[in-house]
Amino acid sequence: MASPGGQGGGALSTRGGGARRMKWALELSMGNSRSRGDRQGGQGDVVYPIGFSEKPVPDTSIQETDKNLVEKRCWDVALGPLKQIPMNLFIMYMSGNTISIFPIMMVCMMAWRPIQALMSMSATFKLLESSSQQWLQGLVYLVGNLLGSALAIYKCQSMGLLPTHSSDWLAFIGPPERMEIMGGGMVL
Amino acid sequence: MAKLIGLCLNVVILCSTVGAVFEDQVGKFDWRQQYVGKVLFSNFDAQSQSSKKVIVATENNVFASLNIRTGELFWRHVDAIGPEGKIDALLHHGQDALLVVGDGRLLRSWEINIGGLNWEIVLDSGSFQSACLIGQQDIVKHVAVLKKTAISLHYLSNGHQKWIENLPESETVDYQSVYSGGNGEVYVLGIVPHSHIAIVVYSLEDGEIIRQFSVEAPWLSNIQASCAVIGEGMLTCADSATVSLYMLDLESQTEMSQIPLQSLGLEVTPGFQPVLRSTQPNAARPPLSEFFLQVGPEQHLLLQLNDGQIVTLRDFNPALLVSFATTGEKTIAAVMSPKNTTACSLNLFSAETGRRLLDTTLIFPLDPNGGKPEELYVQAFLKKDDSVGYRVMVQTEDHTLTFIQQPGRVMWTREEALSDVVTMEMVDLPLTGTQAELEGEFGKKADGLFSMVLKRLSSQLILLQASISHLWKLFYDARKPRSQVKNEVTIENLSRDEFNLQKMMVMVTASGKLFGIDSKTGTIVWRHYLDNIPANAAFKLMVQRTTAHFPHPPQCTLLIKDKDTGLATLHVFNPIFGKKSHVTPPAMPQPILQSLMLPVMDQDYAKVLLLVDDQYKVSAFPSTKNVLQQLQEIASTIFFYLVDSSQGRLSGYRLRTDLSTELIWEVVVPTEVQKIVSVKGKRPNEHVHSQGRVMGDRSVLYKYLNPNLLAVVTESTDTHPERSFMGILLIDGVTGRIIHEAVQRKAKGPVHIVHSENWVVYEYWSTKSRRNEFSVIELYEGMELYNSTVFSSLDRPHAPQVLQQSYIFPSSISTMEATLTEKGITSRHLLIGLPSGGILSLPKMFLDPRRPEIVTEQSREENLIPYAPELLIRSEWFINYNQTVTRVRGIYTAPSGLESTCLVVAYGLDIYQTRVYPSKQFDVLKDDYDYMLISSVLLALFFATMISKRLAEVKLLNRAWR
């Protein structure tokens, strides 16, 4: 049992168990005589056509289009947050202004995603490093995320979650100090 | 729309709090004590040893039966307040008790076993004079009621009138007494003062006048006070001027014979009006020939009329009280004589011979904090060996009833003074000794680091020891069955509980007796009788020092003012132990008008009390140098107001530095038109947490929280329903500025008013619609706060906005008070005492002038209930479920240590204490909180986590090996 890897173990046991049922067996490769799936995988290993190489051969002829693709890909990354905005608007519209668990979850998601994105700005910049319009893309990405968070804040505002009214600070107003001492009453 | 409003209302009501308790909470934190009042008449049930009842009729128009073994009430009937329900006479015959009620308006017969009414008849009008049972041939069948102008005879069995006769010459003769010796004749004794006695004899059968004669008696002015019928119809009168007895045989119609007391070898204390006391054990037989004559404040004589001669049987000197009692054929005389300063002794004497009966001495312990004995009620019974045994009920000056059995065992005492509580305060209990020690450590001055550390360590050790002993006690008690664990409340184990829910109730009663009652159990911890209280005194109770200033003892001051002379005295005492304080109160030679408690403390942490005399000069108590100095510094900020109802004058004064005063404003309400009935300021210990109200659009409407605001209620002197009105005046007590004034036409008192925070709620009778109405006024500063840090009445230029709304209430009310909590976060309820005996907890949000008539989005946002003119009484709002509080006169509320909880005491004839939670118990776990379940689930989860962690480790290891 101490053989490394399950395949060898499987082959061994098959050999031990199968020997009783079959009169003879031809084994072209080590192991994998038991299940069909294994056999198929095994066949791939064995019957490579001649000249087949497992490693892809680097293609040098399509360098130009590749550059364009990188650019495109980078723009995709940069425009990602902006593209989400219409979707967010729709969600916002659908969830309404009542305060309950689902709208709150939505708002949290909406607020959290741009913040997360802004926090990992440097990672995104690294992604965009290969692009020539790196700074523009970064700016667009930033603006998109800022817009997203602004939207979230607007949503919070319309839901009444922001302490922007005087009533939100009412609890912090202490009782006023009394300047005069007064007492008395009906003549006893 | 109506449906919607209904739905909203339902939702609000369902969401709002419920005042009622669950069945298993009954009696858990509430208690009730029932009282009857000062006893006027008392009779013992059947004269046997096994009888268990004593029936009493009291000054408070209460007729009740007490269990003589426990002192508890068997039953109680409470009649109307005032002269309408006054009990004029109590006659007792067998199982029936006859009452004459309301100055001879009604005659009632009660069955005393169950307290059921046998019959009731309305008597003819006329003021009541006297009543007596009439018997013939050893059977008592009739009762005679004597009125000013007529005498009527009624059957005992059904109350039907047998006959009624007008009295002759009733314009001139003042008929005062009726007497029957059981021989078929009814004697009516009348008098023309300082002239003659008029006697009319009626036939029992048909009410015909048999004889009528008059006897000269120019010295006599009142029959009832100085005369008694003794023996076979011998009218005996005592005269203090000539120091003699006058006797008249009612049958032989002769002249009155004068017997000077000196001839009997007796002397009367000069200036003392001798009092005669006879006894008629059976109404069908003539009175006994033995009688008591009181010749001095502490001297009684037992005399006997023997063939027209008066014989002295025994001279009791000193004797405080005497009483006759009859059992079977034996009549005995009980005499109470002073023994020493702490006890009195009672002895029985044979009425016939004046001999002392053996083994009948009984010791009555005199309470040093009680009054002198005033009345003696004796229950005598025959023991198995035919000797006479007895029990006594002693009434003392402080309205206490004490029931004593031989040989001096006090069976029970009833503090009937508590039926008339005038004012009360609740004082925090002190911390336990150990806690106090800890506190004292920080109170004392520091004396070096090392000793401080030592002190700290030792106090911590003491604390540890205390907690261990407490735990041990808990463990020890838990093993005993619950019924055996008694929590006796004594002064020693009184201590503040965790949430300060247990407090000391200091109650001042009209009789001048002070009580300290533990609010948790209702046990009377201390009592103190002030024996020189004038009859119509005004009381004002103030807490000068609370228990928070250890090691200084707490201190209460009671201002007692005699309304006749205007002179006042101060009684300074410790509210926890009831002991009189060592602090000597100042002498006050001038009449006192009012007092004023300042938030300023002297060096001993006692708040300063200012007393205003009739010269408008102010004296301070305590008046140490320190206090006077402080007073000089702040004198310019001290203002006080006085309201003189008789002159209709409200006046405001300001204190000068030399403790004289200056009048700064005055408002006169013309007394011909209206009179001031009440003035309410705010309670000094009230806290308001929120300075404003949040509107639907999330702006703030700031409250007008003027601590100096006074609500003055006036009523018109004209009581005609069309012209009567009441006025309400909101006035600033510092500047005299009238903030709001309103007149309610066609309204009548009595007006009940509550003034708190920024609102005033009052209740009145609307004569136009003939119903009770509530009205609420709320004051707001507006959307802007003028000055949020300080409030000065002198600097508030803007008048507040006033909102008002009125509602219909389906019942009249007796009293009203608002709940009070520690920080004022909890919503407020109004506690309303109803004449039916219920105490209703009405949420203040139903009395809100912002309740809209048309529901809008904003009002719904604010949780405003749509306006409905009727306020309903919901049965779950009664905080006292079926524990009726009879004749509730006042409700006192006090905050507890828990923000959610407010302590309530309702007092009247009964006393009821409970707790209310206006916003439910948001800061306490519920009683039925399942600690077992929660902790077992927690434990199970914990173990499950441990086990699964272990299993996971094993599995991981196995997999690694594979």
Side-chain angles (χ1 to χ4, degrees), chain B residues 499-560:
Chain B
F499 299 127
N500 202 3
L501 291 167
Q502 188 179 8
K503 293 199 182 198
M504 181 64 84
M505 293 159 51
V506 180
M507 294 189 131
V508 180
T509 62
S511 65
K513 196 164 191 185
L514 312 183
F515 290 92
I517 300 177
D518 169 39
S519 78
K520 197 177 183 186
T521 56
T523 321
I524 296 172
V525 181
W526 58 264
R527 58 204 95 191
H528 187 85
Y529 180 60
L530 304 170
D531 47 5
N532 45 7
I533 298 294
N536 60 343
F539 296 94
K540 193 171 177 183
L541 180 65
M542 290 150 290
V543 182
Q544 275 201 296
R545 193 193 294 132
T546 60
T547 33
H549 304 288
F550 187 84
H552 298 287
Q555 184 179 321
C556 272
T557 304
L558 180 67
L559 177 72
I560 307 150

Side-chain angles (χ1 to χ4, degrees), chain A residues 160-179:
Chain A
L161 294 175
L162 293 186
T164 51
H165 291 272
S166 48
S167 58
D168 299 315
W169 304 96
L170 181 64
F172 299 99
I173 304 176
E177 193 192 338
R178 238 181 122 159
M179 292 307 281

Side-chain angles (χ1 to χ4, degrees), chain B residues 313-458:
Chain B
L313 291 179
R314 204 174 175 114
D315 181 0
F316 300 106
N317 188 14
L320 293 171
L321 297 169
V322 292
S323 177
F324 281 113
T326 306
T327 174
E329 292 298 307
K330 282 185 188 166
T331 298
I332 45 122
V335 177
M336 178 188 265
S337 43
K339 196 176 174 208
N340 50 38
T341 51
T342 59
C344 288
S345 67
L346 274 150
N347 280 298
L348 280 196
F349 297 87
S350 160
E352 280 158 38
T353 58
R355 266 209 312 268
R356 201 171 84 84
L357 300 177
L358 287 175
D359 299 329
T360 56
T361 306
L362 191 151
I363 303 297
F364 171 66
L366 275 178
D367 185 357
N369 295 319
K372 288 194 208 79
E374 206 175 42
E375 194 63 65
L376 191 65
Y377 303 100
V378 181
Q379 184 200 22
F381 50 83
L382 284 179
K383 289 186 192 160
K384 276 177 190 139
D385 57 352
D386 220 29
S387 64
V388 180
Y390 73 124
R391 306 185 186 107
V392 288
M393 187 166 80
V394 184
Q395 187 181 1
T396 47
E397 279 173 336
D398 52 345
H399 305 182
T400 308
L401 292 179
T402 312
F403 195 84
I404 314 167
Q405 213 174 19
Q406 273 180 294
R409 192 158 72 88
V410 176
M411 301 279 281
W412 47 263
T413 54
R414 281 183 73 88
E415 295 289 356
E416 292 302 338
L418 281 171
S419 67
D420 202 359
V421 174
V422 181
T423 175
M424 66 167 292
E425 283 288 340
M426 269 185 160
V427 184
D428 291 353
L429 287 175
L431 301 163
T432 53
T434 48
Q435 278 173 307
E437 189 138 330
L438 258 189
E439 201 158 89
E441 179 199 339
F442 300 110
K444 277 173 207 152
K445 306 233 165 20
D447 43 9
L449 186 70
F450 183 68
S451 61
M452 280 292 274
V453 169
L454 265 187
K455 221 184 253 175
R456 184 66 207 246
L457 280 178
S458 66

